[in-house]
């Protein structure tokens, strides 16, 4: 089962800098986003607090996928580490409280 990579031109070099940019990346690549990666994307957008404060392993369990699926999605988006992906959600939550 070789799940096709979800990549958008340019995103590999520069990951989304905000949750709205992440939403746009998911929207633009929706047709190529399948299986476990789609589950993670939907979970991330529906549960921002979980992404902001839970580990990749915890997110994987809650989304019903493997930890490696979570990591593949964030790597496909251009993030080197889960913490960088997580930081988008923390910043978004901080902005919402101001």
């Amino acid at each position: 089962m070789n799940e096709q990579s979800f990549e958008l031109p340019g995103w590999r070099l520069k990951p989304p800098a905000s949750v709205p940019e992440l939403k746009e990346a998911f929207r633009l690549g929706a047709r190529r986003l399948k299986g476990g990666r789609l589950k993670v994307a939907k979970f991330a957008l529906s549960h921002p607090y979980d992404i902001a404060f839970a580990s990749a392993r915890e997110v994987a369990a809650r989304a019903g996928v493997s930890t490696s699926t979570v990591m593949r999605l964030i790597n496909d988006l251009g993030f080197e580490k889960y913490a960088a992906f997580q930081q988008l959600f923390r910043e978004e939550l901080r902005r919402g409280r101001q």
Side-chain angles (χ1 to χ4, degrees):
M1 277 190 234
N2 187 3
E3 203 173 320
Q4 189 176 16
S5 180
F6 168 75
E7 294 179 18
L8 292 172
W11 290 103
R12 202 82 158 114
L13 300 173
K14 183 181 175 197
S18 65
V19 171
E21 281 187 23
L22 179 66
K23 289 178 182 179
E24 182 67 4
F26 287 154
R27 187 187 69 75
L28 292 173
R31 289 189 179 142
R32 290 184 284 174
L33 195 58
K34 308 256 189 254
R37 286 180 175 104
L38 180 59
K39 283 184 178 182
V40 175
K42 286 180 176 181
F43 182 85
L45 297 177
S46 299
H47 300 89
Y49 283 96
D50 288 330
I51 300 297
F53 301 109
S55 69
R57 181 177 290 158
E58 292 168 327
V59 167
R62 293 174 189 166
V65 301
S66 68
T67 304
S68 61
T69 299
V70 172
M71 299 309 295
R72 280 192 297 270
L73 177 64
I74 67 160
N75 288 326
D76 289 346
L77 288 164
F79 295 97
E80 291 185 28
K81 297 180 180 182
Y82 177 75
F85 178 72
Q86 193 175 42
Q87 189 61 31
L88 289 182
F89 289 86
R90 289 180 179 178
E91 289 172 9
E92 186 73 12
L93 292 173
R94 268 190 227 116
R95 276 193 289 273
R97 290 184 179 173
Q98 293 177 355

